[in-house]
Amino acid sequence: MLEQKGSFEKIDSKLKFKIPLDNDLYKDYKFNFTDSEGNGLWSVGSTTFMSKIKKFAGKDYSLYDNYGNPYLYRNPTDAEAKAYNQVRKDAVKLFMDGAAKNGVVEEDNYDSIFLFKIYLGNSTYNYGNGKFTIKDSSGNVYALSEEDFLGYVSEVCGIDYRLNGKYNGSYLYAKANELLQLKCIFAFQNGNLHTNLACNVDGKWMYAAELAESKGEIIIKSFRAKKSVFEKVGLKTKDVIRSVVLIDDSGNESPVDLNKLLRIQAPATLRFTIERGSGKKAQTMIFDVPVEWNGDEVKNLRQVDSE
């Protein structure tokens, strides 16, 4: 019966199963049990009760009694801890999948770097108590501390987000180049994870391939240039891009920087690691795509778009 009143909570940053004790049940260092009509059944001192509780409950409990809001608590089982974390992790992933679609890239003038920012409404993040409030797909509500929320975000996103918390305009942020290396996002247009790569075909700048995000993955959506070098080397539409590195003329590999993609100077090569197919038929392949654009001529995506 007691366990029906309990719930899992973080106590001193550690997950515990906590059972609050009201005055009718616990008073003056005694546990007082009654029947459904309020008649007294048993009254026993806390020391005696705690020595017997494992026999009654089958679990080891401890008593917290600091002259106010007393409670029993125990460590969770592995299964309980896993279930507790999983539902919150799923809720955080659901939130991040939706929120990231409205993220924006903004320059941090202080550090001269670009940040990917997800602005948070007051209903999501309460600056006053430092709590995040999110829902799972069934509408269940979870309140998470900053530490727990950011920990789950790191797990489900595979990258560390940081929090800039303030009364107005709180936001999560990650370095744009870190996000790029993780998800192979080459450019952000109007905050959407979507881009076009350009190449020079017969002296004319054209879109070589259009990339888009689908179900959290970056895919090759279509080929625009009839003689696209991307298509020639064997890439296909619906290929899922897992990683991309830049290989210079000396054979050195380095991550592709978001803000320098179309400034890469030929000769160089982009090495695509892609996944083709799904399930047991999925194959991982590597394709080397020679850089055909000239960074001095192609200044940004808007100029390419206008040609």
Side-chain angles (χ1 to χ4, degrees):
M1 292 293 291
L2 274 177
E3 289 213 343
Q4 295 178 7
K5 298 181 179 181
S7 61
F8 288 99
E9 295 183 22
K10 288 289 184 73
I11 301 175
D12 296 330
S13 299
K14 294 182 180 179
L15 183 63
K16 303 287 184 181
F17 185 74
K18 177 180 174 182
I19 302 174
L21 302 174
D22 55 43
N23 289 333
D24 292 334
L25 175 62
Y26 178 77
K27 186 176 182 181
D28 297 331
Y29 308 108
K30 289 185 178 182
F31 285 84
N32 305 289
F33 295 90
T34 60
D35 61 20
S36 59
E37 297 178 354
N39 300 311
L41 294 176
W42 185 40
S43 180
V44 61
S46 58
T47 301
T48 301
F49 179 79
M50 294 306 299
S51 69
K52 298 179 180 296
I53 193 170
K54 184 174 182 179
K55 179 181 178 181
F56 296 145
K59 301 180 179 72
D60 285 319
Y61 274 90
S62 297
L63 171 65
Y64 177 86
D65 178 12
N66 193 26
Y67 306 103
N69 301 317
Y71 57 85
L72 299 175
Y73 67 95
R74 64 170 173 83
N75 293 325
T77 64
D78 290 343
E80 288 171 336
K82 183 177 180 181
Y84 176 93
N85 287 315
Q86 190 60 53
V87 294
R88 285 155 181 78
K89 191 185 299 184
D90 290 345
V92 168
K93 186 177 188 308
L94 181 66
F95 170 79
M96 292 298 292
D97 286 347
K101 295 178 181 178
N102 296 316
V104 296
V105 174
E106 296 179 350
E107 186 172 8
D108 185 328
N109 294 324
Y110 181 77
D111 290 327
S112 297
I113 60 174
F114 284 85
L115 301 177
F116 180 63
K117 296 182 179 180
I118 297 174
Y119 283 93
L120 304 168
N122 293 333
S123 60
T124 299
Y125 175 70
N126 186 314
Y127 177 84
N129 61 21
K131 295 285 187 179
F132 285 85
T133 302
I134 56 174
K135 296 181 180 180
D136 64 16
S137 57
S138 298
N140 298 313
V141 179
Y142 303 96
L144 303 176
S145 68
E146 294 175 9
E147 180 182 4
D148 286 347
F149 179 83
L150 293 175
Y152 288 128
V153 169
S154 179
E155 287 188 56
V156 302
C157 295
I159 188 171
D160 290 333
Y161 274 83
R162 300 166 182 84
L163 170 68
N164 187 338
K166 47 190 177 181
Y167 282 109
N168 293 307
S170 296
Y171 59 86
L172 301 174
Y173 68 95
K175 292 181 180 179
N177 64 329
E178 291 179 358
L179 200 65
L180 167 73
Q181 294 169 28
L182 178 77
K183 299 189 69 175
C184 311
I185 300 164
F186 295 121
F188 292 79
Q189 295 178 337
N190 300 323
N192 297 317
L193 309 184
H194 173 230
T195 186
N196 294 288
L197 295 179
C199 68
N200 191 319
V201 179
D202 295 335
K204 183 177 181 181
W205 288 104
M206 305 178 67
Y207 288 143
E210 181 182 13
L211 309 182
E213 185 180 36
S214 175
K215 298 179 180 179
E217 298 176 324
I218 304 303
I219 64 169
I220 298 177
K221 183 177 180 181
S222 65
F223 294 103
R224 297 295 185 85
K226 291 182 179 179
K227 299 180 180 180
S228 169
V229 67
F230 291 85
E231 195 169 15
K232 283 182 180 179
V233 299
L235 288 167
K236 296 182 178 180
T237 56
K238 297 185 180 180
D239 282 347
V240 177
I241 301 172
R242 293 303 184 192
S243 67
V244 178
V245 296
L246 172 67
I247 305 174
D248 63 22
D249 56 353
S250 299
N252 300 314
E253 296 186 9
S254 59
V256 177
D257 187 278
L258 172 68
N259 306 301
K260 297 178 181 177
L261 175 69
L262 295 182
R263 298 192 185 100
I264 296 172
Q265 297 289 334
T269 300
L270 290 175
R271 176 162 289 169
F272 284 67
T273 299
I274 66 97
E275 184 176 289
R276 182 173 296 165
S278 60
K280 294 182 179 180
K281 295 182 178 180
Q283 295 178 292
T284 299
M285 305 177 181
I286 296 176
F287 296 93
D288 287 351
V289 180
V291 173
E292 301 223 346
W293 58 78
N294 185 310
D296 291 334
E297 297 179 43
V298 183
K299 301 301 181 183
N300 55 50
L301 286 170
R302 289 182 180 275
Q303 289 180 336
V304 177
D305 190 37
S306 65
E307 295 182 3

